[in-house]
Amino acid sequence: MKKVIFLFIIIIFSLIALYWYKPVTIDYFFGITRILNQENNYELEVNNKKYKNCVFKSTESFDKKRKHNFLILYLRDLNLKSKFEIIVVNLDEKVVGYFCGSVNCYDKVFGYLFQSDMGSFYIPLEDNAKGPGFDTKLKLEGKKIDFYIPSERNERLHIQLSKK
């Protein structure tokens, strides 16, 4: 009986530690977070420097009725000089946006990207009313996606996605 109680206490403390360290993972069990699939068919380049394991795909909204075709670029770990750490490329509407909510709405755990229900919303970078009004110069040509995002020093970061 002592082993069962000890195991139960260990599980409870592990869940509390996991929630404290990565809160979005616990939300997954309540259905308000989902895991996005890594998109291995695209290579990411930022200012001609290649990065791996940063492109994810989202095809279903949380209400399960709407289908969409989004690429999510998780740039938080890349140490880029930009305040936009999560970039959304809506391939259906041909628009580039950014996520503007809490930093806890997206988190990468063991190579998986967790997205909360609020993380599924984005604001187009070109929107003058809600967004920065930044011209991304988005080009979708065959197997290439090419656009810019603003950096912290009023420069542009050149983003290129190439399909393998």
Side-chain angles (χ1 to χ4, degrees):
M1 184 65 175
K2 289 181 182 180
K3 289 182 181 180
V4 172
I5 293 173
F6 181 72
L7 182 63
F8 181 72
I9 291 172
I10 294 287
I11 291 171
I12 295 296
F13 279 119
S14 298
L15 290 174
I16 291 171
L18 184 63
Y19 184 74
W20 180 75
Y21 182 62
K22 299 283 186 180
V24 76
T25 56
I26 298 299
D27 292 341
Y28 177 74
F29 297 110
F30 296 109
I32 55 176
T33 298
R34 64 177 164 199
I35 298 174
L36 298 181
N37 294 324
Q38 189 166 335
E39 182 59 64
N40 294 321
N41 291 333
Y42 284 94
E43 291 180 349
L44 172 67
E45 285 186 35
V46 179
N47 289 345
N48 296 320
K49 186 175 179 186
K50 293 185 180 196
Y51 294 97
K52 294 184 179 198
N53 305 324
C54 301
V55 181
F56 295 84
K57 187 153 186 118
S58 175
T59 57
E60 223 174 69
S61 64
F62 274 91
D63 64 9
K64 306 286 185 203
K65 295 175 186 171
R66 295 181 303 145
K67 296 281 185 185
H68 57 243
N69 193 9
F70 292 176
L71 291 178
I72 310 292
L73 307 181
Y74 186 81
L75 307 177
R76 188 174 288 163
D77 299 338
L78 304 185
N79 197 21
L80 299 174
K81 301 296 184 205
S82 177
K83 65 179 180 178
F84 303 106
E85 298 176 329
I86 310 294
I87 298 295
V88 178
V89 181
N90 184 334
L91 298 174
D92 296 330
E93 296 180 13
K94 296 177 177 62
V95 67
V96 176
Y98 69 98
F99 167 71
C100 63
S102 165
V103 295
N104 293 330
C105 288
Y106 280 94
D107 210 346
K108 202 171 180 183
V109 180
F110 302 120
Y112 296 101
L113 185 62
F114 287 78
Q115 177 194 52
S116 74
D117 56 349
M118 291 303 297
S120 64
F121 298 103
Y122 70 94
I123 295 176
L125 283 167
E126 296 182 357
D127 190 327
N128 287 325
K130 296 180 184 176
F134 181 82
D135 183 12
T136 62
K137 300 186 187 304
L138 175 65
K139 294 178 191 168
L140 299 167
E141 298 173 344
K143 294 185 176 189
K144 290 195 175 233
I145 301 170
D146 193 53
F147 61 92
Y148 294 89
I149 62 171
S151 73
E152 291 176 349
R153 298 180 298 233
N154 292 332
E155 299 171 352
R156 296 174 178 258
L157 294 175
H158 187 206
I159 308 285
Q160 294 174 299
L161 292 164
S162 303
K163 203 165 192 178
K164 296 179 186 177

